[in-house]
């Protein structure tokens, strides 16, 4: 429990640093318990909700109503098997001093949450989900290895903004009731520790900013602050926009860090609070574990610097390295992101290629981000249904204006376009033709030795994929293909999988494994729980869920710790 010697002089019961999803959830729990909260963030009010606002809104549920509707049989045991095979925990699971000791416990608790009250809790807040469950991260090809054995990616009706909304409402109600004070443009530079216990935060007040959500804001300081509270919850996010920190922590097992990367999060996701909290006694674990996407597009209409958008692919596009060599198993669209990232860096280049057809683009391509899915985000059913007969508008715009798409009627034209976009002559027509023709021959029978083709046919046995995510099997070099398309894919930075090590109450632990009195963490700053609930890989739909679960746990524990 925190020390409360200075409680009489406190400005609040709890200070929450970071007004993203985890911070809002924690603050909502504190308000429900009657606590007084200061909610600080270096960004202006326009960015309330943080990265969650920009998300596709995918959530990981186990044995949900939506799964059963689609004929998917799931269970806690199967999900836990998949989580363990995906996470690959190997750093002291049974050792209280181990980096994975609490991560493993958080993972176990989270999968139980996803198989239990998670859906009903969120449904009680008014959330709904699109009935066709997506099948992300299909894995490496063995039952106990990485990947989801069944579809578990539930897209929220309203995407990320809909997930933020109920918690923002609760916190704003707390403001109206005098329980919460927003402190926008308050950049924390120090977590204050007095006699071994946290007693508040200090930092700089930044000049007012009217920039739109996601746009970089000024860092000009106009003053300072010193705020006191017996509990501080750090919910400040990860390092996804800080390429220097990403390269500093890049693991040797993934090869050389890419020279060029595009950025999947706003510039304020800078990782500052990790080092600041470490200085206050917190332990950062698993900093070399991170989650970057391999299917990044340069945004033709960027919001933040280096803004990239991820293609959420179906299973049918062929994937080649920068030289035109087809990747082997399990490096196919939507199967094993981490393995594919390693294969891309091993190629000696920072990018790779999808070669596909317009028919596949129309049926299988979706884009990450709430702003790239106006039908789902705005809950426009008619616009959503229009995906059945037309290419979604955002995809059309990327094909028309984006720098990474090539469309051609013939393979020689496509190769010429690929080399033009890449600025080199690495793609050879003969080699590409041979590989595509070999794949096309595999389409003539119901049987195949090509594992990707087998995966396509597996997808076509799932109604959700047939309806919305997998094109009918066809040859690329045929009139059925409509047109050939190539897409230059960039490495897209996104999530920090390691972070501040916390116990199941969200208390930040020190190097000795004991809680730092008064210090809590949640969300990406805590590796979504325990300093790395995902281990080495994510099953997808688990980042927002990790913010919800860890924010709730930290908020409830902090409320209990500050009770009278």
């Amino acid at each position: 429990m925190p020390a409360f010697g200075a409680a009489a002089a406190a400005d609040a019961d709890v200070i929450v640093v970071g007004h993203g999803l985890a911070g809002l959830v924690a603050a909502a729990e504190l308000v429900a318990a009657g606590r007084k909260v200061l909610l600080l963030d270096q960004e202006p009010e326009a960015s309330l909700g943080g990265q969650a606002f920009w998300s596709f809104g995918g959530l990981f549920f186990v044995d949900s109503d939506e799964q059963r509707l689609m004929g998917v049989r799931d269970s806690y045991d199967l999900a836990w098997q998949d989580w363990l095979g995906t996470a690959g925990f190997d750093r002291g699971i049974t050792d209280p001093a181990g980096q994975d000791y609490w991560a493993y416990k958080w993972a176990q608790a989270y999968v139980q949450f996803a198989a239990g009250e998670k859906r009903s809790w969120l449904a009680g807040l008014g959330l709904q989900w699109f009935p066709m469950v997506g099948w992300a991260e299909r894995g490496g090809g063995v039952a106990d290895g990485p990947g989801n054995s069944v579809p578990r990616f539930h897209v929220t009706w309203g995407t990320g903004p809909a997930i933020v909304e109920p918690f923002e409402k609760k916190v704003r109600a707390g403001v109206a009731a005098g329980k919460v004070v927003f402190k926008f443009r308050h950049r924390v530079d120090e977590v204050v520790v007095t006699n071994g216990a946290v007693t508040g935060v200090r930092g700089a007040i930044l000049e007012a900013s009217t920039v739109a959500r996601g746009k970089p804001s000024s860092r000009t300081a106009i003053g300072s602050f010193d705020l006191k509270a017996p509990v501080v919850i750090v919910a400040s996010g990860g390092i996804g926009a800080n390429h220097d920190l990403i390269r500093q922590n890049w693991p040797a097992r993934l090869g050389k860090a890419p020279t060029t990367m595009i950025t999947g999060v706003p510039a304020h996701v800078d990782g500052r609070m990790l080092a600041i909290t470490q200085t206050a006694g917190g332990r950062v674990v698993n900093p070399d574990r991170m989650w970057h996407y391999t299917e990044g597009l340069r945004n033709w209409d960027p919001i933040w610097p280096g803004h990239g958008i991820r293609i959420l692919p179906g299973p049918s596009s062929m994937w080649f390295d920068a030289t035109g060599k087809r990747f082997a198993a399990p490096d196919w669209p939507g199967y094993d992101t981490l393995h594919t990232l390693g294969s891309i860096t091993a190629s000696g280049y920072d990018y790779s290629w999808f070669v596909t057809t317009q028919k596949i683009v129309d049926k299988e391509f979706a884009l990450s981000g709430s702003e790239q899915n106006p039908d789902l985000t705005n809950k426009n059913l008619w616009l959503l249904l229009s995906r059945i007969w037309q290419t979604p508008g955002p995809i059309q715009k990327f094909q028309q204006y984006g720098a990474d798409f090539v469309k051609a009627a013939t393979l020689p034209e496509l190769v010429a376009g690929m080399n033009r976009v890449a600025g080199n002559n690495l793609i050879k027509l003969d080699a590409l033709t041979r590989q595509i023709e070999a794949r096309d021959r595999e389409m003539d029978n119901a049987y195949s030795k090509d594992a990707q083709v087998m995966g396509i046919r597996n997808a076509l046995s799932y109604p959700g994929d047939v309806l919305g995510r997998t094109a009918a099997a066809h040859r690329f070099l045929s009139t059925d293909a409509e047109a050939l398309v190539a897409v230059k894919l960039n490495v897209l930075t996104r999530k920090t999988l390691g972070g501040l090590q916390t116990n199941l109450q969200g208390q930040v632990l020190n190097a000795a494994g004991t809680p730092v009195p008064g210090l809590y963490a949640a969300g990406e700053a805590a590796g979504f729980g325990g300093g790395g609930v995902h281990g080495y890989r994510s099953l997808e739909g688990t980042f927002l869920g990790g913010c919800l679960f860890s924010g709730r746990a930290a908020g409830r524990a902090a409320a209990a710790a500050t009770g009278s």
Side-chain angles (χ1 to χ4, degrees), residues 493-527:
T493 66
R494 188 63 66 86
K495 296 297 181 187
T496 311
L497 296 190
L500 296 162
Q501 191 172 41
T502 58
N503 62 19
L504 290 176
Q505 286 71 49
Q507 294 175 291
V508 177
L509 307 179
N510 60 22
T514 58
V516 178
L519 187 58
Y520 294 73
E524 193 172 350

Side-chain angles (χ1 to χ4, degrees), residues 3 126 128 133 159 172 231 279 281 386 447 450 454 461 463 482 500 522:
Q128 296 176 302
V133 184
T159 68
R172 290 196 183 276
V231 168
T279 300
S386 74
Y447 316 107
D450 187 299
M454 287 190 273
S461 70
E482 298 179 12
L500 296 162

